[in-house]
Amino acid sequence: MQAAAGSLSVSPAPGVVTPAAPLDKDRLKESSTAPAKANAATEGSGIDALLSRPGKLAAHVSAEVKEKIRKGEFVEIFSLIRAKRRGVESKDKEAKASSTGDKKPRVEENITNWHFSFNVFMSVRLEKKPDLGIAMICYSNKILRAHHVYGGIAWLEYDRDFRWAKVEDLRLGGIRQR
């Protein structure tokens, strides 16, 4: 069974121009008004609308820790994010922790927290050395892939070993003895 030419009619998506659908300028204006306003605020400013303001990720990190990161010194990655505190239970745990000398609740060492922490680390590092951006993104991807492929804590051991090796490289003037 064939339909006669022109008897079937399918409406294109709003704003799509096809030979069968003439341009509806009023509908096009309505559908593109919101993005145009959002783009107008950043157009010509050199700021990508998807980017966050620099410095916000590490606002809670002390100046001393930031300086260690900038110098390339080793920083325990999980110390860069705050542990979640939950209700009365966490207050009891905090009281026990403070009585044993620990000031902060411990952050669980999992891949999600590592990624949050590494983003903080990366934001501090890239403030002074933006040319490291792609390399740091690739490194983060390598850790995520190691977690996915090998599981366990191999990814975490690799991260710590790699970052300690970088510290040693700096101490030896960039040339590592093997």
Side-chain angles (χ1 to χ4, degrees):
M1 196 155 93
Q2 282 188 343
S7 65
L8 277 181
S9 174
V10 178
S11 298
V16 173
V17 179
T18 64
L23 181 60
D24 183 352
K25 291 181 183 174
D26 292 331
R27 187 167 40 160
L28 185 59
K29 280 183 189 175
E30 288 172 14
S31 67
S32 65
T33 302
K37 287 179 184 175
N39 290 337
T42 58
E43 192 174 333
S45 67
I47 298 173
D48 188 328
L50 295 177
L51 296 178
S52 182
R53 289 186 295 164
K56 284 296 204 177
L57 285 175
H60 65 283
V61 178
S62 72
E64 296 83 29
V65 172
K66 286 180 182 179
E67 192 57 30
K68 284 179 78 170
I69 292 170
R70 289 180 188 123
K71 287 180 179 178
E73 296 176 15
F74 186 85
V75 173
E76 179 53 51
I77 200 81
F78 294 104
S79 71
L80 299 176
I81 60 171
R82 297 182 196 129
K84 293 180 183 175
R85 294 186 167 107
R86 293 187 180 112
V88 178
E89 284 181 30
S90 89
K91 288 181 183 175
D92 292 339
K93 287 180 184 177
E94 287 175 41
K96 288 178 186 175
S98 64
S99 67
T100 60
D102 293 337
K103 293 180 182 175
K104 291 193 230 178
R106 188 158 170 80
V107 173
E108 185 179 342
E109 294 182 351
N110 60 39
I111 194 67
T112 302
N113 286 341
W114 180 90
H115 203 225
F116 284 132
S117 301
F118 189 77
N119 285 339
V120 172
F121 177 85
M122 190 167 44
S123 73
V124 172
R125 190 79 181 164
L126 295 179
E127 283 176 342
K128 298 291 182 189
K129 296 190 178 221
D131 55 311
L132 296 177
I134 296 299
M136 294 190 83
I137 291 168
C138 290
Y139 178 75
S140 174
N141 193 59
K142 182 181 281 191
I143 296 298
L144 293 172
R145 185 169 300 285
H147 174 265
H148 177 73
V149 171
Y150 302 108
I153 62 166
W155 59 273
L156 182 56
E157 294 299 321
Y158 177 85
D159 172 57
R160 286 186 175 132
D161 289 348
F162 181 85
R163 290 185 303 109
W164 271 116
K166 286 292 192 185
V167 169
E168 289 301 312
D169 281 350
L170 285 174
R171 287 186 188 149
L172 296 173
I175 301 171
R176 221 170 128 193
Q177 296 175 349
R178 297 193 189 257

